[in-house]
Amino acid sequence: EASQPVTANKTPKTYADLVIGYSQIGAESRWRTANTLSIQESAQDLGVDLRFADAQQEQINQINAIRSFITQKVDLIGVSPIVADGWDAVFAEAKAAGIPIIVVDRTANVPDELITAFIGSDFVLEGERACEEMAQLLDQKGTIIELEGTVGSAPARDRKTGFHNCLKKYPEMQVLVSKSGDFTRAQGKTVLQGLIKQYGTDFDAIYAHNDDMALGAIELLKELGIKPGVEVKIVSIDAVEDAFKAMIAGDLNVTVECNPLLGPQFFETALKIVNGEPFERWVKSNEGIFRQATADQDLPKRRY
Ligand code: GZL
């Protein structure tokens, strides 16, 4: 547990006293929109004054939003960094202004002292889980096309690392080619189209770093008369609602959960930090794995 310097006999703030700046990446996927909802609904439920900025997928917009929060003298800043690099200067400005930063969902490559806490998943573990599921589906033998997330983002970097680390155990499974579809459905489809033009359709499986790209790939395979989930096995990550529908239809084989509902943990940690109380530096999401066999009974229980 870590804690901030205790503020001498100040009455602790309540949620209703909190003014929080939050820099969100954009709305590139169903995961992201569920994540945004969780942050906004939690703020509403708790009575927090949330200043929310949508960066429309541009890092510079996130940097400018953080600078604006510093000017507004908010109590704490939350940010989901679209890419891992390029944050040192602006995070140092927040620190110099005495405003703690909680990184949410994606991590940033900065010195530890610039980030007070991280709320989010273990993406390397998600990649390892995807690989183990793929090994089951392919009976440890076959060729795979990898659709990567946003270039330079922590989830794309770590989901690739986890998957490829695990692949070392399965010498007869190999990734033919990896290419970024930027976490979107549209680009998942377009990128796969280009790869099929280049390499043909003689591959056994697709590993997509998120469900949205997998759903774009499924659309294309169907247009080409190839049975997704049968002739080409597909494993993706997030476990959004449409992934369960695709598994029920037999188009997707497995989705590894990545929990976007981080609002409650974010604000709980923020209040502890502002009040100088002990808090966890990494609040790790608990996540499962969802397969075709149980998709129809799982779907009604899903919250995003
Ligand atoms: C993962 C998150 C990723 C999701 C994508 O925590 O950053 O970004 O997997 C989203 O769906 O676009």
Side-chain angles (χ1 to χ4, degrees), residues 147-176:
L147 296 175
E148 297 182 11
T150 300
V151 176
S153 69
R157 178 193 66 203
D158 295 350
R159 285 171 183 167
K160 186 183 183 78
T161 300
F163 192 85
H164 288 257
N165 283 350
C166 156
L167 267 191
K168 289 171 189 152
K169 295 188 289 186
Y170 304 109
E172 293 190 83
M173 280 166 64
Q174 62 158 146
V175 170
L176 269 183

Side-chain angles (χ1 to χ4, degrees), residues 28-29 31-32 105-106 123 155 159 183 209-210 238 258:
E28 74 283 359
S29 66
W31 189 96
R32 185 65 52 199
D105 159 34
R106 299 185 185 179
F123 299 131
R159 285 171 183 167
F183 283 132
H209 288 191
N210 81 330
D238 279 352
C258 176

Side-chain angles (χ1 to χ4, degrees), residues 100-289:
I101 288 185
I102 298 180
V103 166
V104 180
D105 159 34
R106 299 185 185 179
T107 47
N109 292 337
V110 293
D112 280 354
E113 69 268 12
L114 293 183
I115 293 176
T116 304
F118 169 56
I119 318 268
S121 306
D122 180 341
F123 299 131
V124 173
L125 176 63
E126 292 172 351
E128 287 164 353
R129 286 177 167 175
C131 163
E132 293 296 354
E133 294 299 316
M134 190 65 90
Q136 293 285 325
L137 287 163
L138 295 179
D139 200 10
Q140 303 186 18
K141 199 165 44 286
T143 53
I144 303 157
I145 283 188
E146 180 177 14
L147 296 175
E148 297 182 11
T150 300
V151 176
S153 69
R157 178 193 66 203
D158 295 350
R159 285 171 183 167
K160 186 183 183 78
T161 300
F163 192 85
H164 288 257
N165 283 350
C166 156
L167 267 191
K168 289 171 189 152
K169 295 188 289 186
Y170 304 109
E172 293 190 83
M173 280 166 64
Q174 62 158 146
V175 170
L176 269 183
V177 60
S178 284
K179 198 155 168 42
S180 174
D182 206 22
F183 283 132
T184 69
R185 192 176 294 209
Q187 288 181 64
K189 181 174 183 178
T190 321
V191 163
L192 180 63
Q193 202 154 32
L195 292 176
I196 286 176
K197 276 207 178 70
Q198 227 177 326
Y199 295 90
T201 55
D202 182 21
F203 54 89
D204 302 305
I206 292 172
Y207 165 46
H209 288 191
N210 81 330
D211 295 333
D212 288 66
M213 293 190 292
L215 293 164
I218 285 166
E219 215 173 284
L220 176 67
L221 292 175
K222 286 183 172 176
E223 287 167 9
L224 298 173
I226 299 170
K227 286 195 186 65
V230 180
E231 294 173 273
V232 170
K233 301 298 184 193
I234 305 178
V235 174
S236 64
I237 299 177
D238 279 352
V240 295
E241 183 183 16
D242 286 347
F244 286 85
K245 291 177 181 166
M247 286 196 287
I248 290 166
D251 298 338
L252 178 68
N253 299 92
V254 176
T255 180
V256 173
E257 186 181 26
C258 176
N259 185 352
L261 308 180
L262 304 177
Q265 292 165 316
F266 168 68
F267 289 109
E268 181 189 353
T269 302
L271 191 65
K272 286 177 183 169
I273 290 169
V274 168
N275 284 331
E277 292 162 7
F279 62 94
E280 285 177 83
R281 275 186 62 81
W282 179 1
V283 179
K284 202 183 279 191
S285 311
N286 301 319
E287 299 164 340
I289 301 170

Side-chain angles (χ1 to χ4, degrees), residues 8-19:
N9 61 28
K10 254 172 74 179
T11 41
K13 282 187 183 260
T14 64
Y15 284 117
D17 301 322
L18 280 189
V19 179

